[in-house]
Amino acid sequence: MREAEVRRLLCANLLCAVSIVLAAVVPAFFLDGFSVLGTHLTWLCVCSVCVATLNIILHLVLKPNQSPKRRSFAHKISRFLKCCIYFFMSCILFHAIIVLYGAPLIESVTETFLFAVLLSTFTTLQCLCLLGPNIQAWIRVFSKNGAMSIWESSLQITSMCSILGAWFGAFPIPLDWDRPWQVWPISCSLGATFGYMAGLIIAPLWIHWNRKQLTYKSR
C-alpha cells in the first residue's frame, strides 16, 4: 500500500472536515442571526451543499476509482441523471426510516427531510462519487472484506460513523432537560455530523495503522 495514497486520503478527509466547520462559521458573516442552533434548517442546507460540492470536486480532481474505459458524453449524462435519481431516492428512504424510528409523520416534515438529505450527503453521495449508481458495488463494499481500496475502506468507516452518530444523537431528545438543542432534529443532525467528522479522521489513521494487514485484491 502506497503511503502517498494514504496521505491523499487524509488530506481529502481533512478538507471535508474543514468544510463542515466553515459551513458553521462563514454564513454568520453574510446572514443575520445565523447559528447552528438558532437557524438549524438553514445550517442543514448550507452544510449539505458544502459537503456535497467538496466531495464532487475532490472526486473529479483525485479520481480515486477512475475506470480505464473512455465513456461517451451520452453515457456520462445518463450516469449523472441516474446519480441524481439515486440520491433523491436515498433521501426519501432515509426520511421513511427516520419516521419509522419515531420522528413526527406530519409535523416537522421539512426538518425530517432536510435531516434525511444531510444523512444522504454523508453516505449515499460518497457511494455515488466513488462507485457510481451501481447497487452491486455498494453491496460488495459494505459486505465483510468487500473493500478493494483505501477509499472504499474510508467509505465504509465514514458511512457507519455517520449513521451511528445520528442514532446516538436521538438519545437526549426524550429527556426532560428542556435544552434548545433537544428540539428535533438538532441533536440527531449534530450527532451525524460529529460521527461523519470522526469517521473522516479515524479512517486514514485506521488504514495507516493496519496497512500491513490490508491486502486489497481486484475482483
Side-chain angles (χ1 to χ4, degrees), residues 27-28 31-46 186:
L31 301 175
D32 293 335
F34 176 87
S35 68
V36 174
L37 299 182
T39 55
H40 192 66
L41 295 186
T42 304
W43 176 80
L44 283 175
C45 296
V46 172
I186 294 179

Side-chain angles (χ1 to χ4, degrees), residues 16 19-20 46-55 121-122 125 196:
C16 290
S19 71
I20 294 177
V46 172
C47 184
S48 298
V49 170
C50 288
V51 173
T53 303
L54 184 59
N55 268 288
T121 303
F122 290 159
L125 181 70
Y196 177 66

Side-chain angles (χ1 to χ4, degrees), residues 122-212:
F122 290 159
T123 57
T124 306
L125 181 70
Q126 292 190 96
C127 293
L128 291 171
C129 287
L130 187 62
L131 306 172
N134 187 342
I135 299 298
Q136 288 76 19
W138 297 14
I139 295 173
R140 171 186 59 77
V141 168
F142 289 99
S143 62
K144 184 178 180 181
N145 300 322
M148 292 168 50
S149 68
I150 63 172
W151 300 93
E152 293 182 359
S153 294
S154 178
L155 175 62
Q156 290 177 335
I157 294 172
T158 53
S159 297
M160 294 306 299
C161 286
S162 300
I163 294 173
L164 287 175
W167 185 65
F168 281 115
F171 280 81
I173 292 179
L175 302 178
D176 57 350
W177 295 346
D178 295 326
R179 302 295 184 184
W181 50 266
Q182 287 181 275
V183 177
W184 173 257
I186 294 179
S187 62
C188 287
S189 56
L190 291 180
T193 303
F194 287 129
Y196 177 66
M197 293 180 69
L200 290 173
I201 297 172
I202 291 171
L205 296 178
W206 183 86
I207 292 170
H208 176 74
W209 289 331
N210 296 275
R211 63 189 183 280
K212 294 182 179 179

